[in-house]
Amino acid sequence: MKGNTTRIILSALFAGIAGAAQAAGTLIYCSEGSPAGFDTPQYTSGTDFDASARSIYNGLVSFRRGSTEVIPELAEKWDISENGLEYTFHLRRGVKFHTTRFFTPTRELIADDVVYTFERMMDKNHPFRKAYPAEFPYFTDMGMDKNLKSVQKIDDYTVKFTLNEVDAPFLQNMAMAFAVIFSKEYMEKLLNEGKPQLLNQQPLGTGPFVFDRYQKDAQIRYRANTAYWDKEEGPLVDNLIFAITKDPTVRAQKLRSGECHIASHPLPADVERLKKESNLKVLSSPGFNVGFIYYNTEKTPLQKPEVRMALDMAINKPAIIKAVYGGQGVLAEGPMPTTQWSYDDTLKGRSYDVGKAKALLKEAGYPDGFEMGLWSLPVARPYNPNGRLMAELIQADWAKIGVRVSISTYEWGEYLRRAQKGEHDVIMAGWTGDNGDPDNWLGNLLSCGAVGGSNYSRFCYRPFDDLVVRARRETDQQGRTQLYKEAQKIFHEQMPMSPIGTSIVNVPMNKKVQGFKISPFGMFQFNGVSMQ
């Protein structure tokens, strides 16, 4: 009886979504997973950012849609002091916060909102943070918790950020999703009511779409922000629906049937078939991503570089590229994509060699191998379209050198939370660049400050870390490039994670969809997108 009831409810739900697809001005996006929450700075996943940062919120600056160019957003302009330590942002006037069923603002955006937003991340004793404890991994991974000295209100429309040391990618970092601006008035209302945690469930910002409601593993509904400040890049549909559909095959079916208009992360095998559908089109772009296998360097025997190198050499990466990525990916050999400036193309990945891998394990004291766990990616990502298949192939590869692997996984949000705590032995994850700067790769993924955040290897190696920190303080790009190349050599010697592949990004959609642009950072943005 329970199963029949569930099927009836689901049938009614998807019938409602299909009906909405026929309504004028409604855009339906088949997304790959449920967001872990809507308090954007708490998270690091594109699944979370698509649902919150790019739809509900704005930052002081942003990236032009489909580009790596930093452009004004809530700040009309900014000034940088001669010593590079002070950034003064001049706010746009007349920007309105959303009016929702749970909050009606009494004023527009002012400097108080910017100061309150950043002080929450800077100060663990901030009243909102004390009432609703949270960590902000991007903010700390990039060292902003230590380098951001102060955020000061100069007047209602001027805010000054003061740094302790020069931070070369500061503006690019400020355009990232973690730096979106919240309403101080709304947050203080939640605080006074004793419900600060609702910030993560009932989001409210200044962005192109207004949050309506969310059903986990089913859908997120938004409506257009008719008071949006940017008339050129504002919402062009009345309603936006995220139809959460974890199975990529089902996403493709819904796209064909018209139940959704855009779908995320198709299986490589489906791309050519979708291109042949008369009502569909597929946009493609070279990927700015890398899929990795992360080794928890705090655990035995993975703390030994020889063991990590042996595991890396035992993975038949060309076979994985063929089976998992199909014709939609290329072999990755370093900790960044080849298109990232400062990439060292003189360093090559180790060749697949079972014999040498066995010899390295013996040298490390494990002639008969060992047992460990491998976490399989639970959702399709731009850098890995099929985590389960990749896990099974790696399991078989490692068995050849005596390493016995048990595969497990978790729901996406839980997967990331446990990974940040270091509960795994080996974990499958990856990265799509956020801001076009090398620090976003080497700093966010491998620095000591990023342990507990996106550094799933928990790799803290001082010779490497010192180079990354020095590169942040260097403003000359040639000087930064040299430091990053030295860091990549150390990465190759230490092998805290194995690069696997870089995918081509494909976004299939209905031919009626106009104006969509593929983000180099893997984001799905729907402002400026219409249904013709």
Side-chain angles (χ1 to χ4, degrees), residues 59-61 71-78 89-92:
L60 293 174
V61 293
I71 59 172
E73 198 163 64
L74 294 180
E76 287 185 308
K77 60 181 180 177
W78 55 87
F89 293 91
H90 304 274
L91 302 184
R92 196 177 298 278

Side-chain angles (χ1 to χ4, degrees), residues 145-418:
D145 58 327
K146 296 180 177 64
N147 198 35
L148 193 52
K149 183 177 181 180
S150 65
V151 181
Q152 297 172 282
K153 173 183 176 179
I154 305 303
D155 58 44
D156 276 351
Y157 295 97
T158 312
V159 184
K160 182 170 74 173
F161 287 67
T162 303
L163 309 181
N164 289 311
E165 297 183 78
V166 172
D167 186 1
F170 181 74
L171 269 180
Q172 283 84 356
N173 293 344
M174 289 290 286
M176 290 166 56
F178 81 92
V180 295
I181 305 302
F182 291 82
S183 163
K184 177 183 179 182
E185 185 184 23
Y186 176 51
M187 292 174 75
E188 288 189 331
K189 171 183 178 289
L190 294 177
L191 192 59
N192 292 335
E193 293 174 350
K195 300 176 181 178
Q197 71 280 1
L198 288 182
L199 186 71
N200 203 25
Q201 302 165 36
Q202 296 180 345
L204 179 142
T206 59
F209 293 96
V210 180
F211 175 82
D212 185 11
R213 61 185 184 273
Y214 167 50
Q215 294 170 277
K216 185 177 172 61
D217 294 335
Q219 61 174 298
I220 315 170
R221 287 180 173 264
Y222 311 83
R223 55 184 168 82
N225 178 7
T226 56
Y228 193 53
W229 56 270
D230 188 346
K231 302 307 177 186
E232 293 184 5
E233 280 284 295
L236 299 180
V237 291
D238 298 326
N239 303 288
L240 172 64
I241 298 172
F242 280 36
I244 299 165
T245 312
K246 295 181 180 180
D247 188 326
T249 301
V250 177
R251 291 199 296 272
Q253 291 170 351
K254 288 184 178 183
L255 197 60
R256 290 188 184 97
S257 67
E259 290 182 62
C260 61
H261 302 121
I262 302 178
S264 68
H265 315 309
L267 290 173
D270 283 337
V271 171
E272 291 305 317
R273 288 195 287 267
L274 291 171
K275 286 180 179 179
K276 295 175 183 177
E277 295 282 337
S278 61
N279 63 327
L280 302 179
K281 59 184 176 182
V282 179
L283 302 187
S284 299
S285 176
F288 193 53
N289 59 67
V290 181
F292 297 108
I293 303 299
Y294 294 73
Y295 307 113
N296 188 336
T297 60
E298 292 181 346
K299 290 194 174 182
T300 302
L302 298 169
Q303 80 274 26
K304 293 189 173 185
E306 300 90 346
V307 171
R308 301 194 296 264
M309 282 187 274
L311 292 170
D312 179 72
M313 293 175 69
I315 300 173
N316 189 344
K317 296 177 187 177
I320 287 176
I321 295 299
K322 183 176 180 180
V324 176
Y325 294 84
Q328 304 299 319
V330 295
L331 186 67
E333 299 192 275
M336 307 188 288
T338 58
T339 51
Q340 173 65 66
W341 65 264
S342 80
Y343 178 84
D344 190 346
D345 57 10
T346 66
L347 293 175
K348 301 299 180 185
R350 293 175 178 83
S351 299
Y352 174 58
D353 194 320
V354 173
K356 285 186 179 179
K358 283 183 176 179
L360 271 176
L361 278 189
K362 184 177 181 180
E363 180 184 324
Y366 297 92
D368 301 318
F370 53 88
E371 295 182 0
M372 67 177 183
L374 168 63
W375 290 11
S376 169
L377 197 70
V379 295
R381 302 301 302 138
Y383 49 75
N384 186 340
N386 193 333
R388 182 68 193 187
L389 176 57
M390 185 183 290
E392 290 170 351
L393 291 170
I394 291 173
Q395 181 186 47
D397 285 341
W398 284 345
K400 295 173 185 174
I401 60 170
V403 176
R404 301 167 293 284
V405 168
S406 58
I407 299 173
S408 60
T409 194
Y410 298 92
E411 181 272 330
W412 183 227
E414 185 69 10
Y415 186 90
L416 295 176
R417 282 191 292 273
R418 288 174 177 264

